[in-house]
């Protein structure tokens, strides 16, 4: 997976109070680059080789290839003055990125031409104002202050000074870079915020973003290219608007406790059910009834029309679609609209952490949904139910690449399972593992467990290795699919098929069990010459066989509690790992901090 540019990371983080190391990747150190300008060819440390007109054949620093305009000269002097930048409200590591980006442009402005604002500047303000469409706060990017500055410049009877123009130029670029970085890689840093998350979003460097902007000539078009490509992102944006509108509704949207609501039932709770479903976006099922006025006649009974809508609601929430409003369905219906709105905001942020959609085939696991999908672009080629890690053994989130499948695998029992589950059984009965296919080894030699005093063996002293031979009872079933990683996570079959019938399937120790492994394996391995028939034939022989992939197939383990289904319907899932609140609170805290900083970050020249 590509990693976020450190320079771009610190630039995006600076507005929200994050910190990132820069010395390891930036050739020009902060102490050098912020030295007060005196002689351009002396104070500028050697920039990268691709800097136009700044370095000679031997790396010596030269004067710019052309004469700088007055505004360019002012920008140059400003970005290389620590005091001037601090006085103008620019502090932190983003100062360095601005200096480097403008040096690469030979200090040519982005938002001004001949000291006059270009249409791009106004379009940037418009796009920043749409940050709320993404669940972000426009004021965290200083949109109000920027709009006021541009208005004052256009309406003022006297021309703005070069210094004032240069400051506004840099303020616009800072907002452009920060918002662009947040669209491309999210506001938060997931691998430091959350446990068991190893995702490093990619954010393009400022110089790359400015080059793309110039190439496209449209701020709106450029920002659109930074948004996640997955259809779910656009649908969540649409649903965010609807849920914000629903929050202003006076509809009572909670169901009172009581028995299950089934076909033919009557009463107040049936009316409550309809009002709640209307608030969720479903249309009224009874002519002339909107649910908005208390004097209106409520539905007489729970009829087939309502039942079909309830089934649709249940499907959208990963519940058994039986049309009966039982305990689980009532709990899903009674989640507040505010919580659902916040859930959408959280998952918009999660989707911004993803890399651009791969052109070829890849596998995506939604741990919260407990589903595995083989994808090509945004098209689903195959999907199957899965069992994922229980909360105390959460499945980690990361990306890797499939290398091989193993038919009739053996299972090396992890130390944690051996000591926490099998050691207590051995203490109770040294022959407890008889008939399970699990052999016990010490120093590479198989031992008879009956000869060991297991009550004298503590977890700390446990120096035994447990391995289960291939076969009908093997915990990995008939096949496992390997993408070797430090977490020891893989996909595999299981002899325990009944758990796939559960609505909530977080039962494993972290690895991912696949409901139909041979069908999944055929879709995954067929391009490498391995058919389902071949895999089943090898399985029948009972010997352990490795099948290598001849093509690169990435796998992405992710966690979405709100997303779009194949039919475009908004789907919600239970937050089994309790991540949503952590993400929401962190996102709101950082956006609020940025808003406060932006409100105080535009001091006057005096």
């Amino acid at each position: 997976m590509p990693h976020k540019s450190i320079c771009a990371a610190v630039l995006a983080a600076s507005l929200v109070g994050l910190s990132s190391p820069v010395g390891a990747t930036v050739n020009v150190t902060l102490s050098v680059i912020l030295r007060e300008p005196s002689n351009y060819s002396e104070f500028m440390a050697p920039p990268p080789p691709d800097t136009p007109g700044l370095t000679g054949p031997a790396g010596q620093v030269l004067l710019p290839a052309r004469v700088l305009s007055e505004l360019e000269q002012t920008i140059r002097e400003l970005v290389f003055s620590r005091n001037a930048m601090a006085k103008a409200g620019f502090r932190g590591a983003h100062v360095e990125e601005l200096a480097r980006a403008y040096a690469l442009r030979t200090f040519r402005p982005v938002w001004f031409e001949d000291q006059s604002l270009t249409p791009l500047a106004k379009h940037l303000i418009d796009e920043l104002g749409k940050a709320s469409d993404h669940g972000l706060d426009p004021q965290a990017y200083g949109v109000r202050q920027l709009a006021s500055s541009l208005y004052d410049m256009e309406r003022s009877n006297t021309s703005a000074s070069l210094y004032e123009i240069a400051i506004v130029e840099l303020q616009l670029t800072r907002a452009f870079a920060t918002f662009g970085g947040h669209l491309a890689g999210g506001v938060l840093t997931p691998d430091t915020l959350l446990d068991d998350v190893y995702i490093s979003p990619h954010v393009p460097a400022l110089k790359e973003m400015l080059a793309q902007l110039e190439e496209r000539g449209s701020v709106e078009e450029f920002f659109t290219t930074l948004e996640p490509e997955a259809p779910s992102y656009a649908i969540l944006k649409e649903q965010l608007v609807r849920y914000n509108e629903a929050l202003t509704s006076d509809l009572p949207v909670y169901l009172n406790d009581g028995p299950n609501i089934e076909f033919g039932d009557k009463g107040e709770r049936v009316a409550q059910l309809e009002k709640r479903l209307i608030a969720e976006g479903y249309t009224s099922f009874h002519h002339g009834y909107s649910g908005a006025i208390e004097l209106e006649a409520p539905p007489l009974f729970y009829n087939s029309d309502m039942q079909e809508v309830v089934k649709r609601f249940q499907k959208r929430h990963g519940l058994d679609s039986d049309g009966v409003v039982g305990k689980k369905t009532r709990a899903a219906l009674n989640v507040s609209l505010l919580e659902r709105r916040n859930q959408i905001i959280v998952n918009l942020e999660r989707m911004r952490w993803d890399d651009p959609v791969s052109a070829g085939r890849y596998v995506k696991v939604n741990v919260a949904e407990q589903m595995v999908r083989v994808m090509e672009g945004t098209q689903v080629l195959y999907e199957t139910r899965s069992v994922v890690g229980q909360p105390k053994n959460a499945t980690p989130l990361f990306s890797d690449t499939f290398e091989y499948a193993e038919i009739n695998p053996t299972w090396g029992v992890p130390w944690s399972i051996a000591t926490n589950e099998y050691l207590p059984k051995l203490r109770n009965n040294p022959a407890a593992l008889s008939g399970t296919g699990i052999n016990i080894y010490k120093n590479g030699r198989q031992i008879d467990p009956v000869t060991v005093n297991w009550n004298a063996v503590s977890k700390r002293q446990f120096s035994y290795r447990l391995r289960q031979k291939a076969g009908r009872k093997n915990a990995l079933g008939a096949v496992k699919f390997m993408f070797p990683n430090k977490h020891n996570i893989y996909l595999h079959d299981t002899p325990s098929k009944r758990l796939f019938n559960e609505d909530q399937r977080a039962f494993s120790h972290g690895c991912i069990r696949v409901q139909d492994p041979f069908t999944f394996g055929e879709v995954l391995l067929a391009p490498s010459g391995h058919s389902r028939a071949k895999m089943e034939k090898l399985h029948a022989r009972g010997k352990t066989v490795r099948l290598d992939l001849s093509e690169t197939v990435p796998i992405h383990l992710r966690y979405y509690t709100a997303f779009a289904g194949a039919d475009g319907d908004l789907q919600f899932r239970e937050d089994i790992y309790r991540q949503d609140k952590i993400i929401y609170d962190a996102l709101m805290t950082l956006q609020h901090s940025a808003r406060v900083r932006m409100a105080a970050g535009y001091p006057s020249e005096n």
Side-chain angles (χ1 to χ4, degrees):
M1 171 185 286
H3 286 75
K4 179 184 294 185
S5 159
I6 296 296
C7 290
V10 297
L11 173 61
S14 64
L15 287 182
V16 290
L18 300 176
S19 61
S20 302
V22 297
T25 59
V26 179
N27 293 328
V28 186
T29 63
L30 191 61
S31 61
V32 172
I33 202 165
L34 291 180
R35 189 178 304 160
E36 293 290 346
S38 55
N39 182 300
Y40 178 65
S41 63
E42 294 177 358
F43 78 78
M44 179 71 175
D50 58 348
T51 304
L54 292 179
T55 56
Q60 72 272 28
V61 181
L62 305 176
L63 289 172
R66 60 182 176 80
V67 176
L68 299 181
S69 70
E70 288 184 312
L71 178 55
E72 291 166 349
Q73 176 73 17
T74 304
I75 292 172
R76 189 196 72 180
E77 293 175 356
L78 178 59
V79 297
F80 289 120
S81 170
R82 181 190 300 274
N83 292 336
M85 289 293 278
K87 189 176 180 181
F90 296 93
R91 297 178 180 85
H94 67 274
V95 173
E96 182 172 345
E97 182 76 348
L98 284 168
R100 288 176 58 81
Y102 274 92
L104 289 168
R105 297 174 54 83
T106 56
F107 309 100
R108 184 165 44 87
V110 180
W111 314 103
F112 288 85
E113 186 173 355
D114 296 329
Q115 301 181 26
S116 297
L117 284 165
T118 67
L120 277 181
K122 300 169 187 175
H123 295 162
L124 174 62
I125 299 300
D126 291 341
E127 293 306 309
L128 294 176
K130 299 176 185 176
S132 56
D133 295 350
H134 303 269
L136 302 174
D137 183 356
Q139 304 312 321
Y141 307 98
V143 66
R144 182 180 295 120
Q145 292 80 8
L146 286 169
S148 177
S149 295
L150 267 58
Y151 178 84
D152 289 343
M153 278 190 160
E154 289 190 317
R155 299 297 180 184
S156 176
N157 292 327
T158 59
S159 298
S161 70
L162 289 171
Y163 177 83
E164 291 171 332
I165 293 174
I167 288 177
V168 173
E169 165 73 21
L170 296 180
Q171 288 171 344
L172 289 166
T173 301
R174 174 174 61 179
F176 166 81
T178 306
F179 184 58
H182 289 172
L183 287 181
V187 176
L188 306 173
T189 307
D191 54 0
T192 60
L193 176 68
L194 299 165
D195 294 332
D196 301 312
V197 176
Y198 307 89
I199 300 172
S200 299
H202 172 69
V203 177
L206 175 54
K207 66 176 183 179
E208 297 170 9
M209 289 197 280
L210 291 175
Q212 285 285 320
L213 175 64
E214 286 197 328
E215 180 181 327
R216 296 180 180 278
S218 167
V219 179
E220 180 181 11
E221 183 180 334
F222 172 70
F223 280 157
T224 299
T225 66
L226 297 179
E227 291 183 27
E229 301 172 62
S232 280
Y233 192 80
I235 291 172
L236 258 61
K237 284 172 62 180
E238 295 172 1
Q239 292 295 327
L240 179 60
V241 174
R242 195 183 63 74
Y243 271 83
N244 278 328
E245 293 173 349
L247 285 173
T248 65
S249 168
D250 293 328
L251 289 172
V253 290
Y254 296 101
L255 268 68
N256 294 336
D257 290 340
N260 293 351
I261 300 177
E262 301 186 29
F263 179 80
D265 284 351
K266 304 176 182 179
E268 179 186 9
R269 294 175 70 238
V270 175
Q272 291 173 347
L273 172 62
E274 175 150 8
K275 290 181 179 182
R276 173 66 200 210
L277 291 170
I278 291 172
E280 286 281 356
Y282 300 98
T283 57
S284 176
F285 328 112
H286 300 274
H287 179 69
Y289 179 74
S290 69
I293 303 174
E294 292 297 331
L295 296 178
E296 289 180 332
L300 296 178
F301 67 97
Y302 183 45
N303 63 16
S304 59
D305 290 336
M306 288 186 70
Q307 189 177 51
E308 288 304 310
V309 173
V310 167
K311 288 180 180 180
R312 184 180 170 195
F313 175 90
Q314 290 169 326
K315 180 182 177 182
R316 284 178 53 181
H317 292 75
L319 303 172
D320 184 20
S321 302
D322 58 5
V324 176
V325 182
K327 183 178 179 180
K328 291 182 179 179
T329 301
R330 186 170 70 251
L333 284 163
N334 280 343
V335 173
S336 73
L337 295 178
L338 179 62
E339 287 181 73
R340 291 301 189 204
R341 192 281 306 271
N342 294 348
Q343 200 171 353
I344 291 172
I345 290 174
V346 164
N347 284 277
L348 285 168
E349 172 69 5
R350 280 195 179 106
M351 291 176 188
R352 290 190 287 265
W353 298 342
D354 288 347
D355 287 336
V357 174
S358 304
R361 293 187 316 131
Y362 60 96
V363 173
K364 197 156 194 176
V365 180
N366 184 358
V367 175
E369 185 190 11
Q370 296 105 54
M371 291 292 293
V372 175
R373 293 181 175 87
V374 182
M375 309 285 296
E376 186 162 10
T378 58
Q379 179 185 0
V380 178
L381 302 180
Y382 173 74
E383 66 180 17
T384 183
R385 287 189 166 202
S386 66
V387 172
V388 301
Q390 53 192 298
K392 68 178 181 179
N393 296 304
T395 298
L397 308 181
F398 63 99
S399 294
D400 216 297
T401 303
F402 280 104
E403 293 187 9
Y404 65 94
E406 193 170 277
I407 309 297
N408 297 316
T410 59
W411 180 42
V413 181
W415 183 87
S416 59
I417 298 177
T419 56
N420 292 325
E421 297 187 18
Y422 290 123
L423 180 56
K425 292 180 180 179
L426 290 167
R427 287 170 175 168
N428 187 52
N429 176 14
L433 302 185
S434 176
T436 65
I438 296 177
N439 296 319
I440 303 178
Y441 299 83
K442 186 176 179 65
N443 298 325
R445 301 183 63 180
Q446 185 174 343
I447 65 166
D448 183 351
V450 177
T451 65
V452 179
N453 179 9
W454 295 106
N455 288 305
V457 178
S458 67
K459 289 177 63 173
R460 179 174 295 182
Q461 297 171 327
F462 192 88
S463 58
Y464 301 87
R465 185 168 58 89
L466 279 61
R467 178 166 291 277
Q468 188 178 36
K469 63 184 180 181
R472 181 173 53 86
K473 295 181 179 180
N474 187 279
L476 307 185
V479 57
K480 67 178 180 180
F481 304 94
M482 300 299 293
F483 41 101
N485 57 82
K486 66 180 181 180
H487 313 290
N488 198 27
I489 296 296
Y490 45 88
L491 274 61
H492 65 87
D493 182 24
T494 176
S496 304
K497 301 291 187 181
R498 60 179 180 80
L499 294 177
F500 291 110
N501 296 322
E502 299 291 330
D503 295 335
Q504 188 61 261
R505 300 181 296 281
F507 300 112
S508 83
H509 291 88
C511 283
I512 300 155
R513 305 173 194 170
V514 181
Q515 183 174 26
D516 189 348
F518 283 123
T519 302
F520 171 77
E522 182 172 46
V523 178
L524 179 67
L525 297 168
S528 299
H530 308 303
S531 65
R532 180 189 183 109
K534 177 181 178 179
M535 288 185 284
E536 290 179 337
K537 186 175 181 179
L538 291 171
H539 173 53
R541 292 177 180 174
K543 293 184 178 181
T544 301
V545 179
R546 170 171 166 157
L547 301 177
D548 290 321
L549 274 74
S550 61
E551 65 170 5
T552 299
V553 180
I555 177 169
H556 306 290
L557 277 59
R558 295 297 187 265
Y559 184 93
Y560 309 114
T561 58
F563 55 94
D567 56 3
D569 265 359
L570 176 63
Q571 303 262 331
F572 289 108
R573 291 296 183 274
E574 183 183 347
D575 179 20
I576 54 175
Y577 294 163
R578 300 295 180 260
Q579 290 185 359
D580 283 1
K581 187 176 187 303
I582 296 173
I583 295 173
Y584 183 80
D585 288 349
L587 187 61
M588 294 302 106
T589 297
L590 292 181
Q591 290 269 286
H592 175 73
S593 175
R595 177 176 182 149
V596 171
R597 186 175 293 120
M598 288 298 98
Y602 291 89
S604 65
E605 185 177 356
N606 297 319

